[in-house]
Amino acid sequence: MRTPRVVAARRLQRRRERDAAGLFLAEGPQAVREALAAAVVQEIFGTGNGLTRFADLIQSAREGGARISEVTDEALAVLADTVQPQGLVAVCAQQPVPLEKALGRGPRLAAVLAEIRDPGNAGTVLRTADAAGAGAVIFAGDAVDPYNGKCVRASAGSLFHVDVVRAPDPAAAVEAIRERGMTVFAATGYGDTDLDALADAGRLATPTAWLFGSEAHGLPADLLALADARVRVPIYGGAESLNLAAAAAVCLYASARALRRTSE
């Protein structure tokens, strides 16, 4: 049965409604667990089986003051994006961080997702940035909404671990990053600087922000011009290129390794 609360929650599948309410949906036990740890859960919708199976999460949610609403399998399917939902969907408060606040915390590694519109790619890069120890992930320009359901799922909880920033002007964001003393590298298959050469020269061992563009169009010329270097990942085999998520992982982990060495 679609109760008024289910109907209201379903509206959060649209970006306009999410932005107006300052809320979003997190689906599945892993996302709900991370959202609870971040203290952003307002309500959990669960099937009878889901509420029983994940009783520990439900108890934690109750202790945190969240509302628990039991719904039918059909109602939960309306809220979930996946074909086989796992019995829980949480309504969570958005917690975007202003750019200046995120930079003021002094991150040693950050990722800027410029005009990346594919939610799966964006969420995967967010997850990778978190794993590599980045302190901030900046969704710049006409990028996908970080609270899009597919992006939330692809982030696998990392959405709640790092400062997530929305920056409407990518160029202004890059300038602000550089003013904080961070080096800005643009990842591009047509870069004039090789990633391995950059690492060998010790240029990754400083606070760094990596710019990543969409898989289809790459980074716009104005952002490439603002970067301290335009960096390509070397291809040693016969592959034409790496996809966005793979290239981001290589670049971010190269920086993470260099930064760890300087702190040892």
Side-chain angles (χ1 to χ4, degrees):
M1 182 175 65
R2 300 185 187 182
T3 67
R5 300 194 68 80
V6 170
V7 171
R10 188 186 185 190
R11 295 194 189 104
L12 299 176
Q13 293 173 341
R14 298 190 293 270
R15 180 169 186 168
R16 180 179 67 255
E17 299 291 343
R18 290 194 297 272
D19 287 346
L23 302 170
F24 70 101
L25 299 177
E27 177 185 342
Q30 172 63 18
V32 171
R33 181 175 289 106
E34 299 292 347
L36 286 168
V40 297
V41 176
Q42 296 194 355
E43 181 170 7
I44 292 179
F45 293 94
T47 62
N49 180 60
L51 296 180
T52 300
R53 183 180 176 187
F54 305 109
D56 59 326
L57 297 182
I58 300 308
Q59 180 59 31
S60 178
R62 285 199 174 100
E63 291 172 357
R67 177 171 182 156
I68 309 300
S69 299
E70 183 172 351
V71 295
T72 63
D73 290 342
E74 292 75 17
L76 193 81
V78 166
L79 297 177
D81 281 339
T82 55
V83 176
Q84 295 181 319
Q86 294 179 277
L88 297 179
V89 174
V91 176
C92 306
Q94 297 183 15
Q95 289 192 316
V97 178
L99 179 61
E100 284 305 312
K101 183 175 181 180
L103 295 178
R105 291 173 175 163
R108 302 185 72 206
L109 184 61
V112 181
L113 281 55
E115 314 286 346
I116 294 177
R117 299 177 186 177
D118 181 270
N121 269 337
T124 301
V125 175
L126 173 55
R127 179 180 184 179
T128 302
D130 175 29
V137 176
I138 301 158
F139 288 70
D142 191 22
V144 67
D145 177 18
Y147 301 104
N148 170 286
K150 188 174 181 179
C151 186
V152 173
R153 288 197 308 279
S155 80
S158 289
L159 177 73
F160 306 107
H161 300 164
V162 302
D163 285 343
V164 173
V165 177
R166 285 167 163 168
D169 185 337
V174 171
E175 291 289 4
I177 290 167
R178 294 188 70 181
E179 287 173 4
R180 287 284 181 171
M182 299 183 77
T183 301
V184 177
F185 292 130
T188 170
Y190 305 100
D192 49 16
T193 302
D194 181 280
L195 179 64
D196 286 351
L198 203 66
D200 291 344
R203 295 181 63 190
L204 296 179
T206 59
T208 296
W210 278 97
L211 302 181
F212 302 109
S214 73
E215 195 159 305
H217 306 292
L219 286 162
D222 62 330
L223 289 187
L224 288 171
L226 287 175
D228 293 290
R230 287 144 293 282
V231 185
R232 69 182 183 277
V233 175
I235 302 294
Y236 299 117
E240 178 186 1
S241 63
L242 294 176
N243 65 23
L244 170 62
V250 172
C251 293
L252 289 165
Y253 266 88
S255 282
R257 184 168 184 260
L259 289 166
R260 282 188 63 196
R261 282 183 169 180
T262 63
S263 63
E264 289 176 351

